[in-house]
Amino acid sequence: MKRILVTGGAGFIGSHLCERLLKEGNEVICLDNYFTGSKTNILHLLDNPYFELIRHDVTHPYFIEVDEIYNLACPASPIHYQLNSIKTIKTSVMGAINMLGLAKRIKAKILQASTSEVYGDPEIHPQKEDYWGNVNPIGIRSCYDEGKRCAESLFFNYYSQNQVEIKVIRIFNTYGPRMNPNDGRVVSNFIVQALKGEDITIFGDGKQTRSFQYVDDLVEGMIRMMNSRKDFLGPVNVGNPNEFTMLELAQEVIQLTGSKSKLSFLPLPADDPTQRKPNIELAQKELGGWEPKVQLKEGLVKTIEYFDQILKQY
Ligand code: NAD
Ligand code: UDP
């Protein structure tokens, strides 16, 4: 049995990761300040004697003895990470410093949840790990993008300077049950709007693309990365290469919900990437043949079921 710390464990991805790690017979400590996460995401785990919950903010140091750390604490949706942009930078950078310092002290292995946002508005398509990205360092997304880029740098510097055992994954747009219905990400927005019969808000002309990964595929990739050979540090893309325009996504959601919602076109936010699709050859090679199993339609059906249930509770 391993003792594993998951920062941001009460969030969307973190809650699925905690659940899976417990199922595999580990002891899990979930640390969160509930900025965008919620206790309801992990309510079903609270009875498990091997699950512990800690209210803490990663911008402050924390001490605990564990074998592994998954560092997920950080708001992930543009609305939330732009709400207090300075705090977002602090969470990424000081959070990484505090967790890496902890890993160094207790000799734990540590995995960073980095992001495809490190590629910015990419000029290379699909994106490979050796692409350095095209990020506006002073734009509205920079608090998140540059914060995550600095965190990657910190991880690799703690590795080379202090021999901390690191793993870095770059997560591409991930969706599924327990996304926050109000956090403004495209999949949750479209589904909630369709279920309520409200207009579906397309930003720009809707021709920008994203590649959507179902959360179970990501969790599998994260755990395989943590257990990968010692000298494989990443960064490695973990995402589903099936690419869709936002118009295609809206049409799929309308069809699957049987909604009568109409499309409404709103201005495109600044620096919104025009295209995004992972090259996953490295993950396939290094993570034991890992590849995404759940395609968009199947994943959307499960996510729609979840939102349908929680909307009925309001
Ligand atoms: P989320 O907002 O649901 O989860 C983030 C969690 O971190 C929340 O529970 C939040 O309360 C917690 N948190 C935020 N600031 C904190 C702080 N200072 N101290 C302690 N806890 C804090 O988002 P998510 O989609 O589950 O994302 C989890 C991680 O994965 C994030 O690091 C995000 O950057 C990364 N990621 C997600 C995606 C995606 O598509 N969902 C893509 C790329 C990267
Ligand atoms: N988007 C949209 N309507 C919405 C929310 C988002 O058209 O109601 C677009 C957004 O402009 C972006 C894409 O969907 O081009 C993905 O947005 P999201 O915030 O989910 O993720 P990110 O931009 O961080 O990849």
Side-chain angles (χ1 to χ4, degrees), residues 37-209:
S38 152
K39 266 193 189 164
T40 54
N41 286 340
I42 34 138
L43 215 51
H44 62 297
L45 305 177
L46 292 179
D47 284 344
N48 189 322
Y50 297 107
F51 183 69
E52 246 176 88
L53 191 55
I54 295 157
R55 181 189 289 263
H56 183 79
D57 187 317
V58 289
T59 59
H60 300 286
Y62 188 76
F63 185 77
I64 189 170
E65 290 278 352
V66 290
D67 304 299
E68 293 176 353
I69 303 169
Y70 287 85
N71 188 37
L72 274 67
C74 186
S77 88
I79 292 187
H80 280 138
Y81 70 63
Q82 286 164 22
L83 208 62
N84 184 344
S85 50
I86 297 170
K87 176 71 193 217
T88 299
I89 299 174
K90 285 185 180 172
T91 296
S92 270
V93 176
M94 293 164 69
I97 292 172
N98 288 329
M99 288 304 131
L100 284 160
L102 174 65
K104 175 184 165 190
R105 188 165 163 190
I106 61 173
K107 297 196 171 20
K109 198 175 357 169
I110 179 165
L111 179 145
Q112 169 68 353
S114 190
T115 169
S116 53
E117 287 287 323
V118 300
Y119 301 123
D121 190 3
E123 298 140 315
I124 301 283
H125 197 72
Q127 292 78 54
K128 254 184 102 175
E129 290 83 354
D130 57 7
Y131 175 51
W132 290 354
N134 175 35
V135 174
N136 175 355
I138 56 168
I140 57 169
R141 296 173 84 100
S142 67
C143 57
Y144 183 73
D145 300 6
E146 297 290 15
K148 289 282 188 178
R149 285 167 68 98
C150 183
E152 284 200 11
S153 170
L154 282 163
F155 268 68
F156 279 85
N157 284 299
Y158 268 78
Y159 167 74
S160 52
Q161 211 173 312
N162 297 130
Q163 294 76 50
V164 172
E165 213 179 320
I166 62 154
K167 303 279 175 187
V168 176
I169 62 165
R170 292 181 178 156
I171 304 171
F172 281 65
N173 295 65
T174 302
Y175 69 98
R178 302 199 203 119
M179 289 183 91
N180 182 333
N182 302 314
D183 81 359
R185 280 184 272 188
V186 69
V187 174
S188 45
N189 264 13
F190 285 5
I191 293 178
V192 170
Q193 289 161 346
L195 290 172
K196 288 183 169 172
E198 293 170 356
D199 283 357
I200 305 245
T201 52
I202 308 273
F203 298 167
D205 60 9
K207 291 188 182 137
Q208 69 272 38
T209 68

Side-chain angles (χ1 to χ4, degrees), residues 275-309:
Q275 53 180 0
R276 189 182 289 151
K277 170 180 171 156
N279 174 312
I280 58 165
E281 281 165 19
L282 185 61
Q284 287 168 318
K285 177 169 168 272
E286 293 291 345
L287 308 182
W290 173 87
E291 56 185 15
K293 298 233 165 359
V294 183
Q295 295 313 331
L296 188 66
K297 197 172 193 159
E298 185 189 348
L300 283 179
V301 168
K302 295 183 195 197
T303 313
I304 290 167
E305 262 170 38
Y306 167 79
F307 279 112
D308 198 28
Q309 274 181 10

Side-chain angles (χ1 to χ4, degrees), residues 219-257:
V219 168
E220 177 67 31
M222 285 178 116
I223 292 175
R224 286 191 190 208
M225 180 56 174
M226 185 61 106
N227 298 325
S228 61
R229 67 184 165 86
K230 195 172 176 180
D231 53 350
F232 181 62
L233 316 176
V236 60
N237 291 337
V238 180
N240 187 326
N242 280 347
E243 185 183 13
F244 298 87
T245 66
M246 296 312 103
L247 284 172
E248 287 167 338
L249 176 69
Q251 273 144 18
E252 191 75 298
V253 169
I254 289 176
Q255 206 201 341
L256 292 173
T257 50

